[in-house]
Amino acid sequence: MSDEPLLRVRGLEKRFGELRALDGFDLDVAEGRLTALIGPNGAGKTTAFACIAGAQRPSAGSVRFKGREVAGLPYHRIARLGVARTYQVVQTFDAMSVVEAVTVGALLRRPKLSEARAWADEILGFVGLHAKRTMLGRSLTIADKKRLELARALSTEPRLILLDEVMAGLTPTECADAVKLLRSILARGVTILMVEHVMEVLMPLADRVVVLAAGKPIFAGSPQAAAADPLVIEAYLGRP
Amino acid sequence: MDVGPLPQLIVSGILTGLLFALISVGLTLIFGVMDVVNFAHGEFLMLAMYATFGLGLIGLNPILALPVVVVAMFVLGALVYRFFVKRLLAGPPEAVVFGTFGLLVFLQGAAQFFFTSDYRSVLNPPFSGTLHLGGIAIGEAQLAAGLGALVLIAAIFGFVEYTEPGRALRALSEDRVAAQLMGIDVQRMNAFAFGLGIACTGAAGALLMLTYQAYPRIGTEFALTAFVVVALGGFGSVHGVLLGALLVGLVEVLGGYYIAPALKMLPVYALYLAVVFLRPQGLLGRR
Amino acid sequence: MTVQRHVAVMACVLAATALFTAFCHDQFLLSLAFTGLIFAVLGQSWNWISGYAGQVSFGHALFFGTGAYASALFATHHGSPWLALACGAAVAVVLALLVGFPCFALRGHYFSIATIAVAAIAEIVVVNTDALGKANGFELPILPPGLASLQFAGKAPYVLVALVLFAAAQIATVALEHSRTGYYLRAIRANQEAAASVGVDARAVKVTAFAGAAAFAALAGSLYAQQTLFVDAESTLGLSVSIAIALVGVVGGIGTVWGPPLGAFVYTFLARYVAALYGGHGRGFDLLLYGALILAIVSVQPEGIAGIARRFRART
Amino acid sequence: MTNSTPLIAVRDLEVDYAGVRAVQGLSLYASRGEIVALVGANGAGKSTLLRAISGIVRAASGAIAFEGENIASFEPHTIVRRGISHVPEGRRVFATATVRDNLLLGAYVMRDRAERERRLAAALATFPRLQERLDQRASTLSGGEQQMLAIARGTMSAPKLLMLDEPSLGIAPLVIPAIYAGIREIARSGTTVLLVEQNVREALAIADRGYVLQTGRVVAEGTGADLAGDPLVQKAFLGL
């Protein structure tokens, strides 16, 4: 029991009609670490996230979080157990102000509004969005919307946070800021599982990468080893 | 074996269902092509009924008035799209719901104001007799309305299935982006589809005047039935509409006879709720 | 708006209405004020679910009618109209839970049409039930006037009672805006999927708000029944009532504290003005005007009159 | 027009997609009769570029010159009429329509009936497997056949420029050669092809020239053969 990782996925399958988006997906995520999920387009990374977080119901397989089976539980129940996420295409509450949007997340563990607002402010300070707390979600830049999503996810005090392409579309400076932020999230004791395609970012950051191709894991190990693995290169570039 | 009134009721249910189908096919067409639930759909039906009544005053019976009404409603529909619905589609998601809802209130108010709440029926009905076919008695007017609806539904199906604009409509309702990549002008086709949908309703309005009376709130009654029909068949499914309409027609007529006339709509609404709770995509709809 | 601002506006509205009631002796104006307040409460309760949570209902008369019928029945058979108010609200809450649970699995137009269907079923059932007076409705017993019997000689006391209910609805709405449920409702409207990702059980939250809204609508229905001493299906459960309630909300502005009262004021004012101009023929012209108003508002300012006011404030 | 003016030239294009600036100051061109491959990792902006050219997504700034005319602000249906056809990612055939109807929809902008029939015959000659499936619904086709249908549909409007987005994605490996043979044949008949591919080696093998894209910019260009041996390509793909 004690040696089971924080998240353990076994034989996960997700079918959409004929298409098998996930086809026997296995994954272990160790507590307190940053694990990265990479793979070519259409490999099933976002579907894997959706199935782990509960946004979609897996067709088969097991997802154990903190030693407990969570596959097929409703989305909000899994969030309450301590899994938070961001989206590949940002999903902010556009009509709410920044602090209100984060308060929605903060209310999960702090039902009293005043406490939730205070906590939201603290998290906004942590992600560097405090100065924009009264702006509407829809008027933020892309980088700030991503920060807002991150703040909303963190405000639920998750044990595990799933980050889907948080770096996409960011300028190099914004990327560097994001890397710093990820490190400080790890320092808070939050485990990270992230989908990312900029390997450059992952190299110094990830403890372990899992490469997904056609719905199956084809490699698990250090980022350096992944970049040199012939199977991984073939998955990306096609057969030589 | 005595089968009682059942055959009579079934015929009557089918004839009623065909008219429902004609009204609903317009609703589902508009929804399929542009994702708009036209809450004012019944009010266009009401307008068409008044138009038919008006044309009756200058001597055209409903059958002769039908083509005039259809063309007028098509133009009206296309204009309403061009100058109103198009703007709503660019706004927030509730805009379309509230906009067509506002249209409902506006048109109903206008009818009450200009035509009063009186019931109007055409003064020159072309059919008045009753046919007796093997023990089944059918009003000629009801039969004519049902058969007229059948012909028009067949025409619409044929149009959607076998013509170039019909193909474009189907393409748009299936995948808007892919349709654009084929070179289909979405705004033009939307206006066309809205016009066509309203024209279908217009035709139904003309046929309804063979057996019904026009009054300002008749639209809401039929629209409610049309929503049920469309939801049963699956929103956007043209073929599903025929199935849904016949089902609703039969349920309404049989329910009215075997339960109580005043309760005839009860099983229809119950059927709607049962279907949306158990099979939200409708009987033939795709998810 | 801050809470202090709400309190200030509230105080002004209450004082103005109370003064008007004290000094106005025109029974017709008073009965208009009563209607306006009832519609403000109805529009506000509709706003909870259709405005804040964005689930557009066209069947809200269900709860107005439930309150009217339940309290009328209770008052007829058991006496105290005050208990009847509570009874009407309780029945409406139970009904809201029963109806809301399956209906909130539906989204968008499927939900809207389901609300119409449920209200229509209720109307058909009432119209065909002997104990409820069928289509003719039934009259409430006339009791000696007084606060205990909730029956009064003039219209003014009714307005004051409605004013109390209105104040309660407004306070409840401000409280809702500053509560966990209020935040959750707005998050659901903004993005239900993202709300679920931070632990919001959308269906439970919506059902909760629905039950609260039903209670207020039922209280409005009970007061209405006590004032007219008569209930019938069409004027309490009919689709046209549901439409009028939504109209008040849309015209005033959804998702705001002061939108529905504003919409109710415009609604009753227009009706009165039009009736005065056109006499008995006015029926229909008011709808025409509201329809035109909605069309104009939706194409120009989808946030309703309250939205226009807010925009104006933001500019100055 | 002389052969020295390219058929299409994109200059300093910036495009936002799904809230991200997916194309950031991109320039490239394609001459008549060329096959030009666009390769790069997820999120490099390839699909967004195609969407901007076909008008599905509006460019934020920059120019798209097609036969010397800037089409950057044109409506999609006008762009199709100008002679650009876009076969989108994920095939997007009209599933409930028959194969024939799908093909005829491809020729929607052609008024001449006889010409339409000629195009139909040509398309069926390129992909003979569609011939026997003409009256079947597109949904009954296999993934590979659907891809053939999508490409054939794209050629029905007799385009001068055919843009293909990931034609080998999610297709059984056995079918891919038939698809590529079809693409080669279409190019031989004089149509310029812009090919976006994940399968770099395959794409560069048939391309005259290629561009390597990374985070919305061109990082390398050259002939197909040159790029195929360039270690930069592998780096770009793995996001290094």
Side-chain angles (χ1 to χ4, degrees), chain B residues 2 8 11-12 21 42-43 59 63 76 89 104 112 119 121 149 165 168 190 194 199 201 255 283:
Chain B
D2 182 23
Q8 168 93 41
V11 169
S12 173
E43 276 48 51
I63 300 294
L76 178 67
L89 286 173
L104 175 158
Q112 251 171 41
Y119 286 55
S121 46
N190 277 359
F194 211 92
T201 314
L283 296 172

Side-chain angles (χ1 to χ4, degrees), chain B residues 195-210:
Chain B
L196 193 63
I198 301 301
C200 290
T201 314
L207 291 174
L208 272 180
M209 284 308 276
L210 289 171

Side-chain angles (χ1 to χ4, degrees), chain B residues 161 164-165 167-172 174-189 239 286, chain D residues 54 56 76-77 80-81 86 88 92-98 101-102 104-109 111 116 153:
Chain B
E161 203 59 42
E164 170 108 18
R167 262 201 299 273
L169 288 178
R170 272 189 289 145
L172 264 178
E174 193 161 322
D175 185 332
R176 202 168 320 188
V177 171
Q180 277 179 288
L181 293 178
M182 302 298 107
I184 294 168
D185 182 345
V186 176
Q187 291 304 333
R188 242 180 91 176
M189 281 319 273
H239 294 89
R286 51 194 142 81
Chain D
S54 60
I56 295 296
H77 61 96
V80 177
R81 280 171 203 278
H86 177 181
R92 298 182 88 150
V93 295
F94 300 109
T96 62
T98 60
D101 277 355
N102 267 279
L104 289 176
L105 277 162
Y108 182 78
V109 296
R111 290 290 132 219
R116 250 190 330 217
R153 188 181 64 177

Side-chain angles (χ1 to χ4, degrees), chain A residues 135-239:
Chain A
M135 281 174 72
L136 283 188
R138 70 165 74 94
S139 55
L140 295 178
T141 63
I142 290 158
D144 282 344
K145 278 189 180 176
K146 296 206 164 195
R147 268 177 217 269
L148 173 55
E149 265 204 337
L150 197 59
R152 186 180 66 198
L154 284 173
S155 69
T156 64
E157 295 176 74
R159 284 278 292 280
L160 171 68
I161 187 165
L162 311 175
L163 306 177
D164 200 344
E165 302 204 359
V166 274
M167 308 286 185
L170 300 191
T171 64
T173 352
E174 288 167 345
C175 256
D177 287 348
V179 167
K180 257 185 243 153
L181 195 54
L182 291 185
R183 284 192 199 282
S184 45
I185 291 171
L186 284 172
R188 291 174 85 107
V190 181
T191 306
I192 299 179
L193 172 64
M194 68 190 289
V195 164
E196 190 51 69
H197 54 256
V198 187
M199 278 280 272
E200 209 175 353
V201 176
L202 292 179
M203 285 287 182
L205 202 58
D207 298 294
R208 192 157 161 276
V209 302
V210 174
V211 183
L212 196 59
K216 288 188 194 62
I218 56 165
F219 175 89
S222 77
Q224 285 76 11
D229 188 87
L231 262 178
V232 174
I233 292 172
E234 188 187 315
Y236 271 90
L237 299 184
R239 216 156 297 180

Side-chain angles (χ1 to χ4, degrees), chain A residues 26-131:
Chain A
D26 297 334
L27 175 73
D28 285 332
V29 174
E31 172 118 49
R33 301 292 180 81
L34 191 152
T35 306
L37 192 57
I38 65 170
N41 226 352
K45 293 166 302 207
T46 295
T47 307
F49 265 28
C51 286
I52 293 169
Q56 285 175 8
R57 233 189 139 80
S59 311
S62 140
V63 177
R64 289 170 69 84
F65 176 66
K66 294 193 290 192
R68 187 181 155 180
E69 184 61 50
V70 298
L73 282 187
Y75 204 5
H76 61 90
R77 289 275 305 280
I78 296 181
R80 286 176 193 180
L81 289 173
V83 178
R85 72 175 293 199
T86 67
Y87 291 86
Q88 187 183 3
V89 177
V90 283
Q91 305 281 329
T92 45
F93 300 134
D94 279 349
M96 300 176 92
S97 73
V98 167
V99 67
E100 286 173 340
V102 179
T103 304
V104 172
L107 282 163
L108 181 62
R109 313 269 179 231
R110 292 170 171 75
K112 266 197 75 176
L113 186 66
S114 54
E115 288 169 19
R117 293 279 287 215
W119 178 242
D121 274 332
E122 197 178 322
I123 294 287
L124 284 173
F126 176 71
V127 303
L129 212 50
H130 200 268

Side-chain angles (χ1 to χ4, degrees), chain B residues 195-236:
Chain B
L196 193 63
I198 301 301
C200 290
T201 314
L207 291 174
L208 272 180
M209 284 308 276
L210 289 171
T211 52
Y212 277 79
Q213 295 169 307
Y215 56 95
R217 277 159 70 176
I218 191 166
T220 336
E221 287 180 19
F222 276 99
L224 224 47
T225 313
F227 286 140
V228 173
V229 165
V230 168
L232 284 178
F235 268 91

